[in-house]
PDB file of all heavy atoms in Angstrom:
ATOM      1  N   ARG A 184      80.924  88.064  76.130  1.00 84.00           N
ATOM      2  CA  ARG A 184      80.882  88.685  74.865  1.00 84.00           C
ATOM      3  C   ARG A 184      81.158  90.131  74.822  1.00 84.00           C
ATOM      4  O   ARG A 184      81.689  90.724  73.937  1.00 84.00           O
ATOM      5  CB  ARG A 184      79.446  88.474  74.304  1.00 84.00           C
ATOM      6  CG  ARG A 184      79.196  89.136  73.029  1.00 84.00           C
ATOM      7  CD  ARG A 184      77.703  88.851  72.499  1.00 84.00           C
ATOM      8  NE  ARG A 184      77.374  89.489  71.308  1.00 84.00           N
ATOM      9  CZ  ARG A 184      76.141  89.517  70.712  1.00 84.00           C
ATOM     10  NH1 ARG A 184      75.088  88.873  71.342  1.00 84.00           N
ATOM     11  NH2 ARG A 184      75.936  90.262  69.621  1.00 84.00           N
ATOM     12  N   TYR A 185      80.888  90.853  75.937  1.00 88.00           N
ATOM     13  CA  TYR A 185      81.029  92.282  76.000  1.00 88.00           C
ATOM     14  C   TYR A 185      82.199  92.725  76.957  1.00 88.00           C
ATOM     15  O   TYR A 185      82.620  92.014  77.814  1.00 88.00           O
ATOM     16  CB  TYR A 185      79.786  92.940  76.639  1.00 88.00           C
ATOM     17  CG  TYR A 185      78.541  92.614  75.592  1.00 88.00           C
ATOM     18  CD1 TYR A 185      77.654  91.618  75.734  1.00 88.00           C
ATOM     19  CD2 TYR A 185      78.348  93.612  74.597  1.00 88.00           C
ATOM     20  CE1 TYR A 185      76.680  91.429  74.922  1.00 88.00           C
ATOM     21  CE2 TYR A 185      77.210  93.340  73.805  1.00 88.00           C
ATOM     22  CZ  TYR A 185      76.388  92.319  73.929  1.00 88.00           C
ATOM     23  OH  TYR A 185      75.398  92.092  73.014  1.00 88.00           O
ATOM     24  N   GLU A 186      82.723  93.879  76.657  1.00 91.00           N
ATOM     25  CA  GLU A 186      83.614  94.580  77.478  1.00 91.00           C
ATOM     26  C   GLU A 186      82.973  95.184  78.722  1.00 91.00           C
ATOM     27  O   GLU A 186      82.747  96.416  78.916  1.00 91.00           O
ATOM     28  CB  GLU A 186      84.345  95.797  76.720  1.00 91.00           C
ATOM     29  CG  GLU A 186      85.152  95.275  75.526  1.00 91.00           C
ATOM     30  CD  GLU A 186      86.524  94.686  75.865  1.00 91.00           C
ATOM     31  OE1 GLU A 186      86.777  94.493  77.112  1.00 91.00           O
ATOM     32  OE2 GLU A 186      87.346  94.494  74.947  1.00 91.00           O
ATOM     33  N   LEU A 187      82.519  94.284  79.684  1.00 92.00           N
ATOM     34  CA  LEU A 187      81.728  94.602  80.684  1.00 92.00           C
ATOM     35  C   LEU A 187      81.884  93.646  81.844  1.00 92.00           C
ATOM     36  O   LEU A 187      81.908  92.538  81.743  1.00 92.00           O
ATOM     37  CB  LEU A 187      80.270  94.639  80.288  1.00 92.00           C
ATOM     38  CG  LEU A 187      79.170  95.013  81.409  1.00 92.00           C
ATOM     39  CD1 LEU A 187      79.335  96.431  81.801  1.00 92.00           C
ATOM     40  CD2 LEU A 187      77.752  94.774  80.852  1.00 92.00           C
ATOM     41  N   THR A 188      82.049  94.315  83.107  1.00 91.00           N
ATOM     42  CA  THR A 188      82.253  93.517  84.279  1.00 91.00           C
ATOM     43  C   THR A 188      81.427  94.114  85.413  1.00 91.00           C
ATOM     44  O   THR A 188      81.252  95.346  85.571  1.00 91.00           O
ATOM     45  CB  THR A 188      83.754  93.450  84.725  1.00 91.00           C
ATOM     46  OG1 THR A 188      84.574  93.006  83.637  1.00 91.00           O
ATOM     47  CG2 THR A 188      83.970  92.611  85.908  1.00 91.00           C
ATOM     48  N   VAL A 189      80.843  93.244  86.233  1.00 91.00           N
ATOM     49  CA  VAL A 189      80.230  93.681  87.431  1.00 91.00           C
ATOM     50  C   VAL A 189      81.256  93.588  88.599  1.00 91.00           C
ATOM     51  O   VAL A 189      81.562  92.396  88.954  1.00 91.00           O
ATOM     52  CB  VAL A 189      78.961  92.951  87.745  1.00 91.00           C
ATOM     53  CG1 VAL A 189      78.348  93.329  89.139  1.00 91.00           C
ATOM     54  CG2 VAL A 189      77.930  93.027  86.675  1.00 91.00           C
ATOM     55  N   ARG A 190      81.732  94.664  89.069  1.00 87.00           N
ATOM     56  CA  ARG A 190      82.805  94.628  90.106  1.00 87.00           C
ATOM     57  C   ARG A 190      82.304  94.317  91.606  1.00 87.00           C
ATOM     58  O   ARG A 190      82.952  93.878  92.342  1.00 87.00           O
ATOM     59  CB  ARG A 190      83.521  95.976  90.130  1.00 87.00           C
ATOM     60  CG  ARG A 190      84.451  96.076  88.763  1.00 87.00           C
ATOM     61  CD  ARG A 190      85.528  95.027  88.673  1.00 87.00           C
ATOM     62  NE  ARG A 190      86.446  95.341  87.550  1.00 87.00           N
ATOM     63  CZ  ARG A 190      87.319  94.436  87.116  1.00 87.00           C
ATOM     64  NH1 ARG A 190      87.448  93.353  87.813  1.00 87.00           N
ATOM     65  NH2 ARG A 190      88.083  94.755  86.086  1.00 87.00           N
ATOM     66  N   ASP A 191      81.137  94.889  91.782  1.00 84.00           N
ATOM     67  CA  ASP A 191      80.701  94.944  93.284  1.00 84.00           C
ATOM     68  C   ASP A 191      79.129  94.947  93.211  1.00 84.00           C
ATOM     69  O   ASP A 191      78.608  95.750  92.464  1.00 84.00           O
ATOM     70  CB  ASP A 191      81.273  96.069  93.897  1.00 84.00           C
ATOM     71  CG  ASP A 191      81.001  96.002  95.413  1.00 84.00           C
ATOM     72  OD1 ASP A 191      80.737  94.832  95.861  1.00 84.00           O
ATOM     73  OD2 ASP A 191      81.175  97.013  96.099  1.00 84.00           O
ATOM     74  N   THR A 192      78.461  94.123  94.020  1.00 84.00           N
ATOM     75  CA  THR A 192      77.108  94.041  94.249  1.00 84.00           C
ATOM     76  C   THR A 192      76.828  94.328  95.771  1.00 84.00           C
ATOM     77  O   THR A 192      77.479  93.499  96.605  1.00 84.00           O
ATOM     78  CB  THR A 192      76.371  92.947  93.776  1.00 84.00           C
ATOM     79  OG1 THR A 192      76.596  92.796  92.307  1.00 84.00           O
ATOM     80  CG2 THR A 192      74.837  92.959  94.098  1.00 84.00           C
ATOM     81  N   ARG A 193      76.057  95.122  96.168  1.00 83.00           N
ATOM     82  CA  ARG A 193      75.740  95.493  97.635  1.00 83.00           C
ATOM     83  C   ARG A 193      74.294  95.663  97.827  1.00 83.00           C
ATOM     84  O   ARG A 193      73.536  96.225  96.986  1.00 83.00           O
ATOM     85  CB  ARG A 193      76.489  96.719  98.063  1.00 83.00           C
ATOM     86  CG  ARG A 193      78.067  96.634  98.033  1.00 83.00           C
ATOM     87  CD  ARG A 193      78.660  97.787  98.560  1.00 83.00           C
ATOM     88  NE  ARG A 193      80.164  97.699  98.532  1.00 83.00           N
ATOM     89  CZ  ARG A 193      81.012  98.485  99.067  1.00 83.00           C
ATOM     90  NH1 ARG A 193      80.595  99.490  99.808  1.00 83.00           N
ATOM     91  NH2 ARG A 193      82.324  98.297  98.933  1.00 83.00           N
ATOM     92  N   SER A 194      73.826  95.309  98.998  1.00 80.00           N
ATOM     93  CA  SER A 194      72.419  95.509  99.432  1.00 80.00           C
ATOM     94  C   SER A 194      72.542  96.490 100.643  1.00 80.00           C
ATOM     95  O   SER A 194      73.091  96.081 101.603  1.00 80.00           O
ATOM     96  CB  SER A 194      71.812  94.242  99.867  1.00 80.00           C
ATOM     97  OG  SER A 194      70.494  94.466 100.277  1.00 80.00           O
ATOM     98  N   LEU A 195      72.058  97.754 100.413  1.00 79.00           N
ATOM     99  CA  LEU A 195      72.132  98.764 101.421  1.00 79.00           C
ATOM    100  C   LEU A 195      70.786  98.920 102.038  1.00 79.00           C
ATOM    101  O   LEU A 195      69.749  99.171 101.424  1.00 79.00           O
ATOM    102  CB  LEU A 195      72.646 100.050 100.858  1.00 79.00           C
ATOM    103  CG  LEU A 195      73.919  99.955  99.965  1.00 79.00           C
ATOM    104  CD1 LEU A 195      74.112 101.383  99.381  1.00 79.00           C
ATOM    105  CD2 LEU A 195      75.102  99.672 100.775  1.00 79.00           C
ATOM    106  N   SER A 196      70.701  98.776 103.364  1.00 74.00           N
ATOM    107  CA  SER A 196      69.514  98.902 104.191  1.00 74.00           C
ATOM    108  C   SER A 196      69.665 100.079 105.217  1.00 74.00           C
ATOM    109  O   SER A 196      70.634 100.060 105.901  1.00 74.00           O
ATOM    110  CB  SER A 196      69.181  97.638 104.849  1.00 74.00           C
ATOM    111  OG  SER A 196      67.884  97.834 105.500  1.00 74.00           O
TER     112      SER A 196
END
Side-chain angles (χ1 to χ4, degrees):
R184 177 180 175 185
Y185 294 92
E186 298 279 8
L187 179 64
T188 303
V189 177
R190 291 294 185 191
D191 189 21
T192 297
R193 297 186 181 188
S194 180
L195 309 173
S196 184

